[in-house]
């Protein structure tokens, strides 16, 4: 393993932990000696990484450190390209454009050899022949989620029954041909799932709902038995 790759791996390990990690544990995960680990930490600190801690107490990486573009691995570039291509083909127009723009920005700062890997990437996202309905509303729904705004929803369920709900949207699930809005429902007093193709209409209120979306997302994950993201 090259030292550049090892430094990248060290950053990734530190990012995956919210609390200090001992030098011994870091060295074991990287397969290096403690002395090499201390040198790597010093190198990253010199490059601007805000790593705090000391031997015996553990180390933690404060948020905000941006890795130099040259530290992307080829597999990471493949993942970025494939994910961006999937979103560009299956996302609503706003999200698709954002995916294409993001890829262009990444390409603009990559070294020549990695830019070639991006331009010649052969991982392709096949065309979606069944376009989900109601995608035009997704930008408004995403905005309501970001801003933690209540939504008055007119919804038709699988039995074709129409109902009106006041909901607190906090997540949006993207499946192959279905989009699912996840929200706290004031009517049912529990978290419910709403397929966007069954939404008849909705109105976003300026009223902010009383809980944070992160707390609702954590509750939903616990309810569904889904592990939280490390990052």
């Amino acid at each position: 393993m090259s030292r550049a790759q090892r430094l990248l791996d060290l950053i990734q390990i530190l990012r995956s932990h919210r609390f200090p990690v001992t030098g011994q544990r870091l060295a074991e995960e990287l397969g290096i000696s403690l002395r090499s680990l201390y040198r790597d930490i010093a190198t990253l600190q010199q490059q601007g990484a805000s790593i705090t801690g000391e031997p015996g107490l553990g180390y933690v990486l404060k948020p905000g450190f941006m890795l130099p573009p040259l530290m992307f691995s080829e597999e990471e570039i493949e993942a970025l390209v494939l994910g961006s291509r999937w979103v560009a083909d299956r996302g609503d127009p706003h999200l698709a454009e954002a995916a294409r723009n993001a890829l262009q920005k990444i390409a603009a700062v990559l070294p020549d050899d990695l830019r070639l890997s991006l331009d010649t990437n052969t991982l392709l996202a096949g065309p979606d022949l069944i376009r989900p309905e109601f995608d035009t509303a997704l930008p408004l729904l995403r905005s309501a989620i970001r801003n933690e705004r209540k939504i008055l929803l007119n919804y038709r369920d699988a039995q074709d029954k129409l109902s009106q709900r006041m909901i607190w949207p906090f997540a949006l699930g993207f499946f192959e041909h279905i989009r699912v809005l996840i929200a706290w429902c004031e009517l049912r007093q529990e978290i419910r799932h709403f397929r966007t193709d069954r939404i008849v209409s909705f109105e976003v209120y300026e009223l902010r709902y009383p809980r944070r979306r992160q707390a609702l997302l954590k509750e939903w994950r616990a309810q569904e038995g889904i592990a939280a993201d490390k990052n």
Side-chain angles (χ1 to χ4, degrees), residues 63-202:
F65 178 61
M66 302 297 293
L67 290 173
L70 59 86
M71 294 187 75
F72 278 123
S73 70
E74 289 192 359
E75 284 194 341
E76 286 169 341
I77 294 228
E78 287 181 339
L80 288 170
V81 171
L82 181 59
S84 297
R85 287 173 176 171
W86 193 96
V87 173
D89 183 73
R90 288 164 171 77
D92 60 79
H94 291 76
L95 205 58
E97 183 65 19
R100 288 188 287 266
N101 289 341
L103 206 55
Q104 290 172 2
K105 289 178 180 178
I106 292 171
V109 298
L110 285 175
D112 290 341
D113 57 337
L114 290 181
R115 188 182 301 116
L116 179 63
S117 295
L118 187 148
D119 292 338
T120 60
N121 187 276
T122 55
L123 299 184
L124 307 175
D128 187 7
L129 302 179
I130 305 176
R131 301 295 300 180
E133 297 180 13
F134 214 66
D135 267 7
T136 55
L138 295 187
L140 286 175
L141 295 176
R142 292 200 304 274
S143 177
I145 291 170
R146 285 194 301 269
N147 296 308
E148 299 179 340
R149 295 295 188 258
K150 289 188 176 186
I151 287 179
L152 183 63
L153 187 72
N154 291 304
Y155 188 75
R156 195 178 300 277
D157 64 19
Q159 286 72 45
D160 205 35
K161 182 180 178 181
L162 185 65
S163 64
Q164 188 174 78
R165 320 281 187 91
M166 184 66 78
I167 63 171
W168 310 347
F170 62 86
L172 192 60
F174 285 74
F175 298 87
E176 190 67 16
H177 303 303
I178 295 172
R179 311 293 180 247
V180 177
L181 182 65
I182 308 170
W184 174 268
C185 176
E186 291 187 358
L187 177 65
R188 303 299 184 190
Q189 287 293 295
E190 62 183 1
I191 294 173
R192 302 298 291 262
H193 302 81
F194 303 94
R195 283 178 46 163
T196 60
D197 57 338
R198 292 178 181 162
I199 296 176
V200 177
S201 63
F202 69 93

Side-chain angles (χ1 to χ4, degrees), residues 8-18 21 60-67 230-231:
L8 175 61
D9 289 347
L10 176 55
I11 286 290
Q12 297 297 86
I13 292 171
L14 287 169
R15 276 183 168 163
S16 69
H17 294 279
R18 298 178 182 177
V21 189
V60 65
L61 175 67
K62 292 184 178 180
F65 178 61
M66 302 297 293
L67 290 173
K230 288 185 177 180
N231 297 329

Side-chain angles (χ1 to χ4, degrees), residues 20-24 26 38 41 45 51-60:
V21 189
T22 65
Q24 184 63 45
L26 291 171
Y38 296 148
I41 287 177
Q45 288 172 331
I51 301 174
T52 59
E54 57 185 81
L57 296 178
Y59 297 90
V60 65

